[in-house]
Amino acid sequence: MEENPTIPDEDNNDNNNNNKEKESKEEKEMGSLSNSMMHRSSSRPQLDLTGAAIQGNFEERNPTILLPNQSDDISHLALDIGGSLIKLVYFSRHEDHPADDKRKRSIKKRLGLSNGNRRSYPILGGRLHFVKFETLKLNECLDFISTKQLHVGGIDSPSYSSRLLTDENTIIKATGGGAHKFADVFKERLGVSIDKEDEMDCLVAGANFLLKAIRHEAFTHMEGQKEFVQIDHNDLFPYLLVNIGSGVSMMKVDGDGKFERVSGTNVGGGTYWGLGRLLTNCKSFDELLELSQRGDNKNVDMLVGDIYGGLDYSKIGLSASTIASSFGRTISESKELSDYRPEDISLSLLRMISYNIGQISYLNALRYGLKRIFFGGFFIRGHAYTMDSISFAVHFWSKGQAQAMFLRHEGFLCALGAFLSYEKHGLDDLMAHQLVERFPMGAPYVDGKIHGPPLVDLNEKISWMEKFMQKGTEITAPVPMAPPPGTTGVGGFERPFSMGGTLRSDSSAALNIGVLHLVPTLDVFPLLADPKTYEPNTIDLADRSELEYWFTVLSEHLPDLVDKAVASEGRTDDAKRRGGAFARAFSAHLRRLMEEPAAYGKLGLANLLEMREECLREFQFVDAYFSIKQRENEASLAVLSDLLMELDSMNEDARLLALIEGVLAANIFDWGSRACVDLYHKGTIIEIYRMSRKKMHRPWQVDDFDAFSKRMLGSANEKPQPHKRALLFVDNSGADIVLGMLPLARELLRRGTEVVLVANSLPALNDVTAMELPEIVAEAAKHCDILRKAAEAGGLLVDAMVNIQDGSVENTASVPLMVVENGCGSPCIDFRQVSSELAAAAKDADLIILEGMGRALHTNFNAHFKCDALKLAMVKNQRLAEKLVKGNIYDCVCRYEPSR
């Protein structure tokens, strides 16, 4: 069989900036050496690390490294230039650098964190973006690169801001046929040289990186349903990678850089497009796919029933609906081409090619004993029915023993591989927990189509939203197209069990790719009992009724959230514009997810809540509840002293119960709950707290207090050892932290337990943040010597002028009170991705306390840990109460799980 060596094009989209370093005079002079004297590998941008130093604060989370002797501009842009599409992968550095923080330095020193293990590479933290352009619109792509200065490091690079741009020595990586064809155009327009990378090398490198680094990268697609597959990167190899471009190549991948092309076929995407153009007069690949979605192949295909008078051929296991011959019906009919519907021809073609590729792929996997088959390439391009067809072929011929799998970034494999070919990018050892995918409002959707490149500039986004608001046009996602009744058979085997209702064209897949945030300071929480089986989300949004319910909750809460966000910035006209744009953007995301829940990866309630917060930040609402949090903190701190006196008057048993009751009562304050928002109209924060305390009658709906009390207080014959270190995952500002969690922390300190308060890295609703906590603790310490001494020992009062009641200033505390950030900006927490600070603090911890609905119910209610765990929350949602604890709103959860 003759094979086609060309394997072009892949697909998808998103946005933003890039990185570059200084160029020294000496090396500029060296630039006159001719390219002919350079060995191929030496033409790559090299990093001169001589004199490398961290810029600014040495202890900050993601410091910039300056390379004073760096000669070449390091391009963080790579391209895959195919015959139909140009795919870009580019890197932009994180723009936010935290200020010098003495408290954080003190905590890091105590936890043994240092910068000794930091990479000496330019990529210490940033974003990886995925963008595509039609090759026919090469000039638009060049304009995009030029505007953002991606070819010379991006507009955020040091040399750009210093106006030291010199393009003559700049090299960018590219692969695909266009890397050769358009090299002169790039030189003429951008002044850059293209370093051409081998296409197969890039393809495999890109696939390996994604499969090892992205948690929900691989998925199966059967009967219109997408299901994500978690693959242990230690058990990844070997696998079969099937790249379907114009032709098809099949690679056996044995490791990083280890692969061989074992087979292929010349019947691929080019065959489908070429025959389709001849037979249907379609002008584009997408047009051909759209036709197939309205087709019925029985009008052109010969079925088994056509041969046997409508009967099955049961002796060999073939039903009447099995395709005996693709296009075979046309032999016995006296019709011209114009008599057949283009839709039917397109569908028959699609099935014929998809089924045969699936069959050949499985046979090769069987031949080499491979367990996994991954498909990618221009032919697939996110089209659901194509994936269903390939999947069914693999399932049929393997008798269910093998599965076809696909990659979410499959359109960018070669571009990503070219990006990885830059030496010393520092990406080789990134793990899944260090890449966080975000979904900004990228290229706009209207009438099922993407319009224009991704929107990056804030004013562009707002203007676009307003434009369609004025026209009364909603931002919509594509409407799924159902197959016609009576669609039949497959090539040589039965038709798929169900065609599903989500037959999508490529355009509908373009929001499936987000921006990958590279955060090397994220770790897996070391106290998880089994990280491989851990699932943070308690609510299963695969249940359609659950999905609809929570989308309704979020939609109903949206006006109040917008009001708070606008109010937080003085209700200015600019804030109102951004608020309206945020509401439209988040609503568009919700509609997209309602239509295809797996559009952005595996979906859980935590993902929805995090997306909402990310969307707020995208429209520059940094902390929508800031003023509310300040007001509630002040009100709660004003009565803290009286509460502590009341607690100190109790005996040990009564005090522990009162403390847990206090945490549960104070957890009622939650601006994310509609029921609780209504409460705020019925009294002051203190009045509501006292009312809640009075209703704390046991038994609670989930009540393990007695077991927890026994562990803490022991029995008559036995006094237990105090915990060494407790991690307290705090929730809301105001009464929740001040009157609930701080008194509990104080009790643990009194017993000799080190306490680490774990709070959000970024704001989410009225949750307290790690940046806000030290000030709250400092104010609380004015009322309590225990808190004051522990806070001093933990480095929280470094800058605080504390007026202690007894006038004592010496540090006599035996145990510290510390604050660390959790690495999150959401009401929930995913323990697969926590800050390195928290991971370090957890190593000596033997008690964790998860407080609040987001951290203890929405996520982690079923999570198991290696140490003692206490989960405390007041249920503030009726649906959650019924589903999770079989109770009612305002029921209490006190779940204690001893160390495993």
Side-chain angles (χ1 to χ4, degrees), residues 527 711 721-727 753-754 841-848 866-869 896 899:
L527 293 177
R711 169 61 184 89
Q721 285 292 319
H723 291 96
K724 181 179 179 181
R725 176 181 289 170
L727 305 181
T753 301
E754 292 183 0
K843 288 175 183 176
D844 292 323
D846 49 3
L847 171 65
I848 66 173
K866 295 176 182 177
C867 65
D868 291 352
Y896 174 64
S899 169

Side-chain angles (χ1 to χ4, degrees), residues 35 126 132 141 146 255 432 467 481 556 564 639 645 654 704 791 807:
N35 288 337
K132 67 177 180 181
C141 176
S146 178
K467 173 183 174 184
M481 301 178 70
E556 289 177 349
K564 295 295 184 298
V639 298
M645 288 177 62
D704 295 334

Side-chain angles (χ1 to χ4, degrees), residues 294-315:
R294 301 189 296 273
D296 184 352
N297 70 302
K298 75 174 185 292
N299 295 323
V300 292
D301 290 342
M302 181 184 292
L303 310 181
V304 168
D306 295 329
I307 301 172
Y308 293 97
L311 301 176
D312 297 338
Y313 191 172
S314 55
K315 184 176 181 180

